[in-house]
Amino acid sequence: MVILNYEQYSEIQQFIHKFRGLSMECNRELLKKFPQHSPEMLGSILSREVQQRLKQSHGKISARADDLLADFNKKVKSTDLIPDSILGANVSYCLYNENMEGPITDTIRRCIGEEYEVKLKQLARDMGMVFYDEGDLRRTGYDKTPDLKLAIPCMYKGRVVNWIESKASFGDMDSHLKYVRDQLISYGNRFGSGIVIYWFGYLDMIADCAENGDYVTVIDGFPGPEEFEFLKFNIPESCNETLDEVR
């Protein structure tokens, strides 16, 4: 993955803002325009820009929220219930061809997030880490939990790692600050410092933003074994002799 500077990120943003057409068409053109970047990164940036555009129209639709929700539940979630068969077919066609928003896209996005959480756990196991996952922590009463809470902390580039959070997305400034505010700082206050992984890359500015404090380290992939330092336990010789007898 790639860490983008502000100029690189702005160039991609401007291309999206100026594009006139469907988001799926914009996605194809992004791949042609910026072949040096991964499809996952470009798709994540485009998805974020589409979401921001939708948020800007919030004021216009909030007054009709109840009616729109009823329409969504009938005409989007269950298109076969639409009385007009032609309208139902058209809505279904739009859903299948929309690659940035909608119930199908939400499901895909959720599956990708779960895929990278599984990948994170496997990489951590391969590294020999012992950890608690979200399910373990919630069963003990925690509400906001990182993807992994290390049972035994380790060191990464001189900083203590108590937890690791997985984000299957590109880390731009707005989304990162929201994650910090809503999730990461609470992990830091509760468990100490940790790592957030943006698997599809991130804007370089977020790694050094003041909001990270001493709690959040930003990276774009799982570190190699040479980058971690693990605690080493010196077992007294008497204990080794006892273990040999048990064996």
Side-chain angles (χ1 to χ4, degrees):
M1 296 303 169
V2 177
I3 301 171
L4 300 184
N5 59 39
Y6 182 76
E7 288 73 21
Q8 292 171 317
Y9 180 63
S10 293
E11 186 181 4
I12 297 172
Q13 270 191 317
Q14 290 303 314
F15 182 87
I16 295 171
H17 294 168
K18 294 177 181 179
F19 187 84
R20 295 294 177 265
L22 299 176
S23 57
M24 62 186 303
E25 295 170 343
C26 183
N27 194 42
R28 286 197 295 265
E29 294 305 314
L30 278 171
L31 297 176
K32 296 177 184 177
K33 176 70 174 178
F34 304 99
Q36 70 274 29
H37 299 316
S38 71
E40 294 86 358
M41 171 188 283
L42 295 174
S44 181
I45 295 174
L46 175 58
S47 177
R48 173 69 180 172
E49 293 301 318
V50 171
Q51 291 174 16
Q52 287 294 95
R53 192 178 303 166
L54 290 174
K55 289 179 181 179
Q56 292 171 2
S57 64
H58 173 75
K60 300 177 183 177
I61 65 174
S62 58
R64 301 177 53 217
D66 292 340
D67 292 337
L68 291 172
L69 179 60
D71 282 345
F72 174 82
N73 288 329
K74 180 178 180 181
K75 295 180 180 177
V76 178
K77 294 185 69 175
S78 304
T79 57
D80 55 315
L81 297 181
I82 298 177
D84 187 327
S85 59
I86 296 178
L87 176 60
N90 286 333
V91 172
S92 295
Y93 180 79
C94 290
L95 289 175
Y96 294 138
N97 285 278
E98 172 55 58
N99 67 338
M100 287 297 149
E101 289 298 326
I104 295 175
T105 307
D106 288 343
T107 300
I108 294 172
R109 191 178 292 132
R110 186 164 54 252
C111 289
I112 292 174
E114 292 175 357
E115 174 189 347
Y116 276 87
E117 286 181 21
V118 171
K119 177 179 180 178
L120 172 63
K121 292 177 184 179
Q122 188 58 57
L123 288 169
R125 289 191 188 98
D126 293 343
M127 195 71 69
M129 293 177 171
V130 179
F131 57 83
Y132 305 101
D133 63 17
E134 288 181 285
D136 298 325
L137 294 171
R138 289 187 187 279
R139 281 190 291 272
T140 59
Y142 291 105
D143 51 354
K144 292 185 177 181
T145 61
D147 292 316
L148 301 184
K149 164 65 175 71
L150 303 188
I152 302 174
C154 63
M155 298 286 289
Y156 171 73
K157 293 187 176 180
R159 300 190 69 177
V160 178
V161 177
N162 295 282
W163 50 267
I164 305 176
E165 179 74 3
S166 170
K167 297 297 182 187
S169 62
F170 178 84
D172 61 81
M173 183 60 78
D174 288 341
S175 61
H176 177 68
L177 293 180
K178 186 176 187 304
Y179 288 139
V180 170
R181 183 176 64 250
D182 296 346
Q183 297 177 312
L184 305 182
I185 284 299
S186 66
Y187 303 162
N189 290 332
R190 183 169 295 167
F191 303 118
S193 56
I195 285 174
V196 56
I197 302 176
Y198 287 104
W199 294 101
F200 301 159
Y202 61 84
L203 179 63
D204 59 358
M205 298 165 59
I206 73 172
D208 301 316
C209 69
E211 287 78 3
N212 293 337
D214 296 325
Y215 291 137
V216 182
T217 298
V218 180
I219 57 178
D220 66 339
F222 197 83
E226 71 283 356
E227 298 178 276
F228 279 125
E229 294 180 44
F230 296 97
L231 290 175
K232 295 180 174 63
F233 298 96
N234 293 320
I235 302 176
E237 188 61 32
S238 58
C239 292
N240 285 327
E241 292 173 359
T242 302
L243 289 173
D244 289 338
E245 292 174 3
V246 172
R247 295 190 186 101

